[in-house]
Every structure is written in structure tokens, then in C-alpha cells.
Amino acid sequence: MTTHSEHRTPRSTPTPTPTPTLAPGPAVTRSWTVSPEPFTTADATRLRRAYYAEVAGRYWKREVTEAEIDQGLLDFPDEGLEPPTGQFVVGRLDGAALACGGVRLLDAVTAELTRVYVDGRARGTSGGAALLRVLEAESRALGAERVRLDTRSDLVEARALYARHGYAEIPAYNSGPYAEHWFEKRLV
């Protein structure tokens, strides 16, 4: 699950990015914890890179190089995803960092979700719902009365997640280069 993509032209050579292994075990014993974390930690950085790799790869219909991810992170920095203007969170499934998301204030009463991502190995385990609960709580803590987001048409899983959790499609509130659908949820 992802929200929107932001990417430009590559400038450096690819390097491998390690990924955690998912501990085996029955689904009934697995649990998510989601908590605020600076977007610069090793886990948060790895997850943001995985987010970019997926959304850009789906958009370009090919594998994305590490150089393209590097450039995307430079071209579209994660500004505003730290207090007092926002928050970044990392979700862990049985201790493994496998999800992330951010929220930032657009104005005094409107927050925007961004960088919402669940690793493919953990999809179907309620990670997206866990992320949304915490991101909405963080939005309320920032004073927001509503949450908005934009996403693309090809990110059907993300659109379905938002609809299941009370987000309704709204007219465009921005003109982002990759925005094709806009959603909002009232928090009050």
C-alpha cells in the first residue's frame, strides 16, 4: 500500500539496500506496534526508500535503481514530517520494521497523509489500518480537524484502504504531478 510517487532523473549508481527478514509464526500471534520515529533513523530511511522504489517502479513499470531513489529523496524531501508541523511513524510487525507513514499540517485544521507504505510481505496483516489509526491520532494531536491525501489511479490497494477507513473522494486540493485522486476524512 502506498500513497503518491515523486521522482525525477537518476544521478548516482545503485547500491543494495538490506531488508529485514519476517519472523515466521502463526498469524494469530502477530501484532503491530506503530510509533513516532524520526524519518532519518535506519529503519525509517529503509522504509522510505522501499516506498519510493515501489511507487516509482509501478509508475514506470520497471525496477527502480538506487540512484533513482536517491534522487527522489533529494527532489521531494520529507519536509514537515516532524514536530511541530508533522510526524513520521514506523510500524513494526512482531518487532520487524515493515511499515511507515507521515502526516504534515497543510493549515491549522488540515493535515495531509504521505509516504504511507506497508512492505509487501506484511500486507493483509492489518498494518495499513494500524498506520492510519496512529497517523489520525497524530493529526489530532497537531490540532487537525480533517486529514487529506492524494494518490494515483494505479495504487488501487491504497485507494481501497482509505475508502474502508472512512476517507471519501473529494475535488483536487493540490496540483501534484502524480495526484489523480484526492481523499479526506473528518476527525471531529
Side-chain angles (χ1 to χ4, degrees):
M1 158 201 21
T2 54
T3 55
H4 62 297
S5 171
E6 296 141 353
H7 244 65
R8 298 250 200 275
T9 310
R11 290 191 188 153
S12 61
T13 57
T15 57
T17 302
T19 56
T21 57
L22 198 56
V28 294
T29 63
R30 308 185 93 182
S31 64
W32 279 98
T33 57
V34 178
S35 57
E37 187 168 320
F39 62 82
T40 55
T41 68
D43 283 340
T45 298
R46 181 184 46 74
L47 288 163
R48 286 184 304 116
R49 294 179 72 79
Y51 160 82
Y52 276 110
E54 180 165 340
V55 295
R58 287 174 74 164
Y59 184 77
W60 292 335
K61 296 178 177 52
R62 64 169 175 80
E63 292 271 331
V64 178
T65 68
E66 292 297 315
E68 290 169 325
I69 295 168
D70 293 341
Q71 191 60 49
L73 292 171
L74 289 173
D75 290 344
F76 297 94
D78 293 318
E79 296 169 342
L81 298 183
E82 54 196 350
T85 58
Q87 190 62 264
F88 193 79
V89 301
V90 171
R92 288 178 168 78
L93 179 60
D94 297 335
L98 294 167
C100 68
V103 62
R104 65 176 145 234
L105 288 175
L106 296 177
D107 59 44
V109 296
T110 309
E112 180 180 48
L113 295 184
T114 186
R115 315 300 192 262
V116 177
Y117 171 76
V118 176
D119 184 296
R121 297 168 295 167
R123 292 185 187 156
T125 62
S126 300
L131 281 175
L132 290 179
R133 277 191 302 276
V134 172
L135 289 168
E136 290 168 8
E138 292 294 335
S139 298
R140 284 184 194 92
L142 292 167
E145 297 174 5
R146 65 181 171 220
V147 177
R148 290 182 171 173
L149 64 96
D150 65 70
T151 191
R152 297 190 327 237
S153 293
D154 64 321
L155 301 176
V156 294
E157 305 92 340
R159 291 184 9 241
L161 173 76
Y162 300 129
R164 273 194 315 274
H165 291 276
Y167 289 77
E169 285 212 51
I170 60 170
Y173 68 89
N174 66 21
S175 58
Y178 302 102
E180 297 173 320
H181 297 269
W182 296 263
F183 288 85
E184 179 178 283
K185 180 177 181 177
R186 303 290 299 174
L187 297 176
V188 290

